[in-house]
């Protein structure tokens, strides 16, 4: 895979992390377990372990639930923003590692997380306003985009 494609996939998994922080690590863990991304002999090979995949999947599902709670703070607060950056950087580094671009993947993942966090916030804010202030349908749409996007990026690591 070319350097540009690896960085694009790392950027896109970062966008997923910006939407839902745990969706990106769960997606790359599933990709590793399914051998869509080969991490054998790397620092990230532990992601392919079924326990890791299970824990990250549970965390991702938990995040989908907590996002719907009225007291959940804005994703732009440091308490929510920083974990998205870490998650995006981590997931991007994992993708980069499979092709020898760990640090490039990390950087692209962080940039993607910034784009996903800020872009996702603005898109959701505007769509909720157009939807008469009803947040739940838009939040569920965003959940679907994050999950589907994570699966798509993970799958693309195996076919591109």
């Amino acid at each position: 895979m070319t350097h540009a494609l690896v960085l694009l996939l790392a950027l896109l998994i970062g966008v997923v992390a910006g939407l839902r922080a745990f969706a990106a690590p769960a997606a790359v863990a599933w990709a590793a377990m399914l051998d869509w991304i080969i991490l054998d002999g790397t620092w990230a090979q532990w992601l392919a372990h079924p326990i890791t995949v299970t824990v990250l999947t549970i965390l991702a599902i938990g995040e989908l639930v907590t996002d719907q709670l009225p007291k959940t703070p804005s994703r732009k607060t440091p308490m929510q923003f920083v974990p998205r950056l870490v998650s995006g950087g981590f997931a991007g580094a994992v993708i980069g590692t499979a092709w020898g671009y760990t640090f490039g993947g990390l950087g692209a993942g962080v940039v993607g997380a910034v784009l996903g966090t800020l872009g996702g916030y603005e898109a959701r804010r505007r769509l909720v306003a157009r939807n008469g202030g009803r947040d739940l349908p838009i939040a569920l749409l965003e959940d679907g985009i994050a999950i589907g996007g994570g699966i798509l990026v993970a799958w693309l690591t195996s076919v591109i």
Side-chain angles (χ1 to χ4, degrees), residues 73-86:
S74 167
R75 72 185 79 196
K76 296 190 329 181
T77 64
M79 181 175 77
Q80 295 286 331
F81 198 37
V82 171
R84 292 165 193 265
L85 298 178
V86 171

Side-chain angles (χ1 to χ4, degrees), residues 17-35:
L19 298 176
R20 297 290 179 270
F22 284 110
V28 294
W30 274 99
M33 188 177 81
L34 295 171
D35 288 330

Side-chain angles (χ1 to χ4, degrees), residues 11-76:
L11 178 86
L12 292 173
I13 203 68
V15 170
V16 168
L19 298 176
R20 297 290 179 270
F22 284 110
V28 294
W30 274 99
M33 188 177 81
L34 295 171
D35 288 330
W36 291 352
I37 185 171
I38 306 302
L39 299 172
D40 295 340
T42 71
W43 64 270
Q45 69 185 15
W46 57 274
L47 279 172
H49 194 281
I51 292 174
T52 306
V53 173
T54 301
V55 168
L56 289 172
T57 301
I58 290 168
L59 290 170
I61 291 168
E63 182 181 24
L64 296 176
V65 172
T66 60
D67 180 63
Q68 310 309 320
L69 301 175
K71 292 194 180 218
T72 300
S74 167
R75 72 185 79 196
K76 296 190 329 181

